[in-house]
Amino acid sequence: MQHIIIRLKTCKWCGNEYIVKHNRQEYCTENGNYCKTEARREQKRNCWYNHNYKNTKTLGNTNLPLHIHKNTTKEHNAILTEMKRHGLKT
Ligand SMILES: [Zn+2]
């Protein structure tokens, strides 16, 4: 006589319940690997964002530093690249 134990967990990405196939499983497999790949993608995106923006002190939501470059051409180029990033034209 065999006992089959079915464990249910909630998916970390979509929140639906699924049947656990192995102990370390965190995401459901109903839609293929959709939940897993999307969760990994978000983790990488947050990591990239924190690496590039959270540790720097900048003006508002721009990449411009708090202090002005002493070299005026560097300052001009920094402003132009920031304007290009926001889609502004001079
Ligand atoms: Zn899911």
Side-chain angles (χ1 to χ4, degrees):
M1 198 174 148
Q2 280 187 330
H3 293 280
I4 298 169
I5 299 167
I6 296 173
R7 287 178 56 209
L8 289 173
K9 270 187 177 180
T10 54
C11 178
K12 274 190 172 182
W13 179 252
C14 63
N16 294 329
E17 284 196 330
Y18 62 94
I19 298 168
V20 178
K21 291 180 180 175
H22 57 87
N23 277 334
R24 292 184 62 195
Q25 191 176 356
E26 292 179 328
Y27 305 101
C28 65
T29 54
E30 284 178 14
N31 308 322
N33 283 328
Y34 176 77
C35 290
K36 190 170 108 181
T37 51
E38 285 299 313
R40 296 276 156 80
R41 190 178 286 167
E42 191 185 48
Q43 283 171 4
K44 280 191 176 179
R45 193 163 47 222
N46 287 340
C47 185
W48 180 84
Y49 183 82
N50 288 338
H51 178 75
N52 282 316
Y53 295 113
K54 287 285 170 70
N55 297 326
T56 56
K57 289 184 177 177
T58 56
L59 287 173
N61 57 357
T62 64
N63 286 334
L64 294 172
L66 291 174
H67 301 288
I68 298 172
H69 285 290
K70 286 181 181 175
N71 189 347
T72 52
T73 53
K74 273 189 177 180
E75 178 70 15
H76 182 70
N77 287 336
I79 291 170
L80 284 181
T81 53
E82 197 60 26
M83 286 178 77
K84 192 188 260 181
R85 196 171 74 88
H86 287 281
L88 299 172
K89 288 181 181 178
T90 52

